[in-house]
């Protein structure tokens, strides 16, 4: 039995808009398991990002419950939620959101100091190791404006990993990258997964989705279906992509 990391029950989310309140998430029930590379797919506007931010506690929900390792995320105070996020979660977005006047190394280290789980010396050591693991050590002393998009995103992944998070949330992490940078970022995410890192990633790209071992399909704020796959192997990438495409066609994607 896989360990449940995150459990969402009847998650509803709506936004007030001109007096109306359209429901963006409609009673979503979902479990995210430890050690999985879980993917959320679905058309633009399906609610993928909304679900990711709800599950991470970054965004509030209108109804339902979210448990992270049994703790009710949606009922914690803002302070306790922020502390839990800093300690347990890592975030990677389409844009890196690196601090522009800090070097890549400083960006990673500062995020590490904020987790308050390790001393400064230990944090700096881990920052160096992670930047090396993410193949960006040569650029570590440069500012975000002085590196390529791929290097910046790899540093952002190092930053997400600095607190040794229980779960990495990624929203279209390759969305702003060219093909070769996307491949490298996906390779690095696969490597983290191989090493046991749990990842929850939103993507609309089958080439990125092949990295996952479980794919959820979201439509109109509901999970319509899911596909499970064996752990990713480079040599199976093509066959997996075909399988995902067939599955998506069956869902009228
Ligand atoms: N703050 C907001 N206020 C009102 N509506 C919102 C807000 N944020 C998102 N929405 C709406 O909720 C729906 C789902 O948005 P969401 O960003 O989750 O979609 P998505 O599946 O991530 O799409 P994409 O693939 O384009 O990123 C969309 O119709 C969007 O317009
Ligand atoms: Mg989105």
């Amino acid at each position: 039995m896989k360990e449940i990391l995150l459990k969402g029950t009847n998650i509803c989310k709506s936004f007030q808009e001109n007096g109306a309140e359209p429901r963006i998430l409609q009673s979503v029930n979902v479990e995210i398991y430890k050690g999985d590379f879980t993917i959320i797919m679905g058309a633009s506007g399906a609610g993928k990002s909304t679900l990711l931010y709800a599950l991470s506690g970054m965004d509030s929900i209108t109804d339902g419950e979210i448990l992270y390792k049994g703790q009710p995320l949606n009922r914690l105070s803002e302070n306790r939620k922020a502390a839990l996020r800093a300690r347990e979660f890592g975030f990677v977005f389409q844009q890196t959101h690196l601090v522009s006047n800090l070097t890549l190394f400083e960006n990673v280290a500062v995020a590490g100091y904020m987790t308050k789980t390790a001393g400064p010396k230990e944090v700096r050591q881990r920052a160096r190791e992670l930047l090396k693991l993410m193949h960006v050590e040569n650029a570590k002393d440069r500012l975000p404006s002085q590196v390529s998009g791929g290097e910046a995103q790899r540093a952002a992944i190092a930053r997400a990993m600095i607190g040794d998070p229980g779960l990495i949330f990624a929203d279209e992490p390759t969305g702003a990258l060219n093909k070769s940078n996307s491949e490298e970022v996906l390779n690095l995410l696969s490597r983290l997964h191989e090493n046991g890192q749990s990842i929850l990633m939103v993507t609309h790209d089958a080439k990125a989705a092949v990295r996952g071992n479980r794919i959820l399909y979201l439509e109109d704020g509901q999970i319509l279906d899911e596909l499970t796959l064996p752990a990713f192997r480079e040599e199976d990438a093509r066959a997996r992509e075909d399988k995902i495409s067939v599955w998506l066609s069956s869902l009228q994607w």
Side-chain angles (χ1 to χ4, degrees), residues 17 20-21 35 57 107 127 146 155 179 207-208 214 232 237 243 248:
E17 214 173 32
E21 208 177 318
N107 264 283
Q146 298 167 331
K179 194 159 171 258
K207 279 200 165 29
R214 178 173 177 231
F232 177 77
K243 191 165 180 181
L248 290 174

Side-chain angles (χ1 to χ4, degrees), residues 9 22 38 44 46 51 71 84 96 111 119 124 150 173-174:
T9 309
T38 310
S44 182
L51 180 61
Q71 294 180 74
L84 183 142
T96 60
R124 285 195 290 274
T174 58

Side-chain angles (χ1 to χ4, degrees), residues 85-252:
R85 268 203 309 267
R87 199 172 59 241
E88 292 284 343
F89 297 161
F91 292 93
V92 186
F93 306 95
Q94 186 167 338
Q95 305 302 330
T96 60
H97 301 295
L98 292 169
V99 179
S100 61
N101 58 351
L102 297 181
T103 65
L104 300 190
F105 173 79
E106 288 164 347
N107 264 283
V108 178
V110 164
Y113 303 146
M114 283 173 10
T115 67
K116 295 183 185 150
T117 48
K121 207 171 155 191
E122 204 180 315
V123 166
R124 285 195 290 274
Q125 178 60 25
R126 186 166 160 79
R128 275 189 288 274
E129 283 165 11
L130 281 168
L131 287 160
K132 194 168 171 191
L133 186 71
M134 292 296 118
H135 301 162
V136 72
E137 61 194 309
N138 293 338
K140 74 176 174 43
D141 296 321
R142 283 190 243 144
L143 298 172
S145 61
Q146 298 167 331
V147 303
S148 74
E151 286 166 335
Q153 191 59 301
R154 273 138 53 198
I157 298 172
R159 179 185 56 184
M161 287 294 295
I162 189 72
D164 192 14
L167 183 59
I168 293 264
F169 292 87
D171 191 2
E172 305 269 10
T174 58
L177 301 178
N178 66 23
K179 194 159 171 258
S180 68
N181 279 328
S182 287
E183 274 300 301
E184 170 128 36
V185 161
L186 291 169
N187 284 339
L188 293 169
L189 289 174
S190 284
R191 171 107 63 93
L192 295 177
H193 177 225
E194 265 169 44
N195 293 340
Q197 179 64 50
S198 310
I199 304 173
L200 178 60
M201 177 173 89
V202 166
T203 183
H204 62 268
D205 180 0
K207 279 200 165 29
V210 294
R211 305 295 174 142
N213 63 294
R214 178 173 177 231
I215 309 178
L216 309 174
Y217 186 80
L218 201 66
E219 188 177 285
D220 296 334
Q222 289 181 310
I223 295 176
L224 268 199
D225 199 10
E226 68 172 81
L227 179 72
T228 28
L229 296 165
F232 177 77
R233 292 187 319 168
E234 189 65 54
E235 56 269 39
D236 301 337
R238 204 47 196 275
R240 291 166 85 91
E241 201 182 324
D242 291 345
K243 191 165 180 181
I244 293 168
S245 300
V246 169
W247 175 65
L248 290 174
S249 316
S250 76
L251 296 165
Q252 266 90 51

Side-chain angles (χ1 to χ4, degrees), residues 6 13 52-62 65-68 71-91 114-115 169:
L6 196 56
K13 171 85 185 171
L52 192 84
Y53 299 133
L55 288 173
S56 69
M58 287 223 299
D59 210 349
S60 65
I61 55 176
T62 317
E65 179 163 71
I66 297 164
L67 298 176
Y68 177 75
Q71 294 180 74
L73 202 57
N74 56 303
R75 281 191 270 125
L76 296 180
S77 68
E78 281 306 319
N79 281 345
R80 290 189 58 194
K81 204 158 61 178
L84 183 142
R85 268 203 309 267
R87 199 172 59 241
E88 292 284 343
F89 297 161
F91 292 93
M114 283 173 10
T115 67
F169 292 87

